[in-house]
């Protein structure tokens, strides 16, 4: 294998057309986040491993690209942004008025097994809403994630909403050891009822807890799912959580996210440890994997500061959005190509060509200048292949009378246009 001719597994080159399509989605995310009052934040691509590993848990830690600097300190490429933003808030933004609304679009790195929708370098667009422990903050971020996905023209965006507090509370009451809790967690997450039964049968777990855990595994649906759990438990914390989730379902409707697009799933257990409250994931039916996910993390910022600051947020996987748009046969607007190619008739006219090109660019017209010493006919053939609609030919004779020739490639037609009228002439046409 000649590594000079390849990129590492799980990384991709994005050629101009694909980069353009991605740019459209990214611009849309940016606009949506800013319309909701969020401000951009950028953090380093690599940081001390200890920062990036704070609160994220073993799964993400294992997937980090780690390396040492020359002094032997352990660094890593960021695998997600939330820990970095928690560090920034905990060290630099503590005195800012709350809530703080932040957004980012950045590349992330995870040593995952590459497959469809799973790369080792991938892009996320996300937000963090810092400083509110109110359910309205959770509702805002779920609504914003849905709106951001709808605004890139994804159809049928669905959200699964759960709450890690229910499982945690049940496990706290059951007092099981960490390995058993993890086995139960994995079975519920994978909706693996056989696996769950196996674990439940080998352990000293009371009947009522078993019943609740079975119900959690099956808890996917509408508000009735919440009522079912409610009828099984006698725990004030869980009752409060359920009432809050009911509020989420109800108030999302005010954001145009009606019940048909929201599924309660109390089995959602996200792959990151820092979550403490409402958690959610976004899907479109055309793609079997989550295109976005997030949730509340009220303890993470406190790991970087002397007190706790509640927060919630999400990240959308841009690569998965692009895949979903392709599956939904989304038609991207035509790529903006240069609208003008400018050619000198002879190399003596090069300076004039560049003067005219620069003036047109200042006026907002996209101009490609000929640099290869081509003949006019070669230039015209290039414009034809590149679908450039207008060619300006700068000849000595016309230039002396302060004019150039403008050729419309679609109609076998050319006009002599005064240089000072060139911008208006082209703007009327393009
Ligand atoms: P996450 O669920 O790990 O959450 O990632 C969010 C999204 O990033 C996923 O839904 C998926 O679309 C995309 N993604 C994750 N891994 C890959 C991969 N290997 N290849 C392609 N896309 C991928 C977080 O990262 C949290 N920081 C979200 C958050 C923000 N929670 C609170 N605030």
């Amino acid at each position: 294998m000649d590594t000079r001719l390849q990129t590492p597994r799980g990384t991709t080159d994005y050629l101009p057309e694909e980069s353009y399509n991605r740019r459209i989605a990214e611009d849309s995310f940016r606009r949506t986040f800013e319309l909701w009052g969020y401000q951009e934040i950028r953090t380093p691509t690599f940081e001390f491993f200890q920062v990036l590993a704070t609160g994220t848990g073993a799964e993400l830690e294992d997937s980090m690209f780690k390396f040492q600097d020359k002094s032997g300190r352990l660094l890593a490429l960021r695998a997600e942004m939330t820990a970095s933003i928690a560090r920034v808030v905990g060290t630099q933004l503590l005195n800012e008025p709350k809530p703080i609304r932040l957004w980012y679009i950045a590349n992330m790195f995870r040593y995952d097994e590459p497959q469809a929708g799973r790369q080792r370098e991938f892009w996320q667009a996300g937000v963090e809403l810092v400083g509110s422990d109110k359910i309205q903050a959770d509702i805002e971020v779920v609504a914003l994630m849905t709106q951001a996905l709808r605004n890139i023209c994804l159809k049928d965006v669905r959200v699964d909403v759960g709450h890690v507090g229910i499982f945690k509370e049940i496990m706290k009451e059951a007092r099981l050891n960490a390995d058993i809790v993890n086995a139960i967690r994995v079975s519920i997450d994978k909706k693996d009822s056989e696996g769950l039964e196996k674990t439940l049968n080998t352990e000293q777990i009371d009947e009522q807890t078993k019943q609740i855990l079975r119900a959690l595994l099956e808890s996917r649906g509408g508000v009735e799912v919440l009522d079912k759990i409610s009828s099984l438990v006698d725990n004030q914390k869980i009752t409060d959580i359920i009432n809050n989730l009911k509020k989420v379902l109800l108030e999302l409707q005010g954001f145009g996210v009606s019940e048909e697009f929201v599924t309660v799933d109390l089995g959602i257990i996200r792959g990151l440890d820092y979550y403490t409250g409402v958690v959610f994931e976004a899907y479109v039916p055309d793609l079997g994997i989550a295109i976005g996910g997030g949730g509340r993390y009220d303890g993470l910022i406190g790991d970087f500061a002397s007190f706790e600051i509640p927060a919630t947020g999400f990240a959308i996987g841009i690569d998965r959005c692009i895949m979903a748009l392709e599956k939904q046969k989304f038609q991207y607007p035509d790529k903006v190509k240069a609208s003008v190619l400018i050619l000198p008739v002879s190399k003596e006219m090069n300076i004039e060509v560049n003067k005219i090109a620069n003036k047109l660019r200042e006026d907002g017209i996209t101009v490609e200048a000929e640099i290869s010493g081509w003949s006019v006919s070669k230039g015209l053939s290039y414009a034809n292949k590149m679908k450039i609609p207008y060619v300006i030919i700068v000849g000595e004779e016309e230039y002396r009378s302060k004019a150039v020739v403008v050729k419309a490639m679609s109609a076998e037609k050319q006009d002599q246009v005064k240089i000072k009228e060139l911008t208006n002439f082209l703007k009327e046409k393009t």
Side-chain angles (χ1 to χ4, degrees):
M1 181 179 86
D2 187 347
T3 48
R4 288 176 315 121
L5 306 180
Q6 298 181 335
T7 65
R9 270 190 92 203
T11 64
T12 311
D13 296 315
Y14 300 109
L15 301 183
E17 189 155 345
E18 195 165 358
S19 296
Y20 175 74
N21 294 348
R22 286 170 164 264
R23 172 74 58 196
I24 288 177
E26 287 166 16
D27 285 349
S28 170
F29 286 134
R30 231 171 250 138
R31 261 195 314 277
T32 307
F33 297 156
E34 300 224 320
L35 280 172
W36 286 55
Y38 286 71
Q39 301 186 74
E40 186 174 10
I41 182 162
R42 298 183 189 212
T43 61
T45 310
F46 63 90
E47 295 210 34
F48 293 118
F49 170 74
Q50 286 308 330
V51 169
L52 298 174
T54 302
T56 48
E59 199 183 319
L60 201 78
E61 255 180 57
D62 283 349
S63 78
M64 278 183 209
F65 283 87
K66 304 175 195 86
F67 53 100
Q68 284 186 338
D69 67 10
K70 287 185 175 174
S71 321
R73 280 175 297 215
L74 189 57
L75 305 173
L77 296 179
R78 65 180 167 219
E80 57 112 45
M81 276 290 261
T82 310
S84 300
I85 293 178
R87 172 189 55 72
V88 175
V89 174
T91 55
Q92 299 174 62
L93 302 178
L94 282 177
N95 297 324
E96 286 291 301
K98 312 286 182 304
I100 306 174
R101 291 182 165 90
L102 302 168
W103 70 262
Y104 55 88
I105 293 178
N107 50 348
M108 309 292 155
F109 307 85
R110 294 186 193 176
Y111 208 98
D112 283 337
E113 196 44 38
Q115 50 190 283
R118 200 172 287 285
Q119 293 93 255
R120 290 185 177 168
E121 182 187 23
F122 60 97
W123 289 75
Q124 285 187 340
V127 310
E128 309 297 344
L129 171 48
V130 176
S132 169
D133 60 0
K134 299 283 183 287
I135 194 71
Q136 267 65 34
D138 301 277
I139 295 167
E140 172 167 312
V141 290
V142 176
L144 173 52
M145 181 179 70
T146 314
Q147 192 58 50
L149 290 168
R150 286 177 174 174
N151 285 355
I152 61 163
C153 298
L154 270 177
K155 288 181 286 207
D156 244 348
V157 176
R158 280 145 205 276
V159 197
D160 288 358
V161 182
H163 195 298
V164 295
I166 298 182
F167 180 75
K168 280 189 182 164
E169 198 58 30
I170 293 165
M171 288 297 102
K172 200 165 100 189
E173 285 190 349
R175 294 165 189 275
L176 301 168
N177 79 40
D179 288 346
I180 303 300
V181 171
N182 207 36
I184 297 174
R185 186 205 300 270
V186 170
S187 300
I188 292 181
D189 188 32
K190 298 215 159 84
K191 308 263 181 279
D192 171 11
S193 45
E194 266 179 44
L196 179 66
E197 285 310 319
K198 241 192 219 160
T199 314
L200 295 185
N201 288 337
T202 52
E203 290 303 310
Q204 293 285 319
I205 304 174
D206 67 77
E207 249 335 290
Q208 200 204 359
T209 306
K210 285 184 181 175
Q211 229 185 329
I212 300 169
L213 290 171
R214 287 184 192 117
L216 271 188
L217 186 139
E218 284 162 7
S219 64
R220 238 186 104 74
V223 75
E224 73 286 350
V225 161
L226 296 172
D227 290 332
K228 167 131 197 237
I229 299 289
S230 218
S231 71
L232 291 173
V233 295
D234 179 20
N235 172 312
Q236 191 52 45
K237 271 199 185 152
I238 295 182
T239 307
D240 291 346
I241 289 173
I242 285 174
N243 287 338
N244 270 339
L245 284 173
K246 284 185 176 173
K247 247 189 230 162
V248 173
L249 294 189
L250 188 70
E251 292 193 25
L252 275 177
Q253 296 183 25
F255 288 95
V257 187
S258 58
E259 263 176 77
E260 63 175 307
F261 296 110
V262 187
T263 305
V264 173
D265 187 343
L266 301 179
I268 303 181
I269 292 156
R270 310 230 330 110
L272 292 151
D273 276 3
Y274 51 60
Y275 292 114
T276 55
V278 172
V279 284
F280 49 91
E281 283 175 344
Y283 292 90
V284 286
D286 313 78
L287 207 70
I289 39 179
I291 51 176
R296 173 167 288 284
Y297 53 97
D298 286 348
L300 184 63
I301 298 173
D303 287 340
F304 298 98
S306 50
F307 53 93
E308 295 202 338
I309 300 182
T312 173
F314 65 79
I316 290 169
I318 297 179
D319 311 77
R320 293 186 188 177
C321 289
I322 301 288
M323 281 174 71
L325 284 169
E326 265 160 31
K327 294 227 160 160
Q328 293 187 353
K329 307 221 172 332
F330 173 68
Q331 287 291 326
Y332 287 94
D334 277 344
K335 186 169 180 310
V336 185
K337 300 228 168 79
S339 35
V340 178
L341 173 71
I342 186 161
L343 297 170
V345 163
S346 62
K347 66 176 186 310
E348 283 71 37
M349 299 311 288
N350 278 350
I351 293 182
E352 285 71 23
V353 158
N354 288 330
K355 270 192 203 154
I356 298 171
N358 269 357
K359 172 72 176 71
L360 292 176
R361 291 177 189 131
E362 274 170 21
D363 293 342
I365 295 172
T366 309
V367 182
E368 252 186 64
E370 199 285 316
I371 50 167
S372 311
W374 285 337
S375 63
V376 169
S377 73
K378 204 148 183 215
L380 289 174
S381 137
Y382 172 80
N384 202 22
K385 277 190 221 142
M386 298 304 289
K387 299 193 171 61
I388 298 175
Y390 290 93
V391 176
I392 299 173
I393 302 160
V394 185
E396 281 167 43
E397 213 179 295
E398 289 86 5
Y399 194 78
R400 247 178 267 126
S401 54
K402 300 191 169 49
V404 289
V405 169
V406 179
K407 187 168 168 52
M409 296 300 289
S410 58
E412 288 290 308
K413 188 172 171 285
Q414 57 185 50
D415 296 277
Q416 228 189 63
V417 182
K418 289 278 177 211
I419 294 171
K420 67 174 184 329
E421 284 157 17
L422 205 45
T423 297
N424 285 344
F425 179 86
L426 288 167
K427 281 206 166 155
E428 270 168 29
K429 309 262 178 195
T430 51

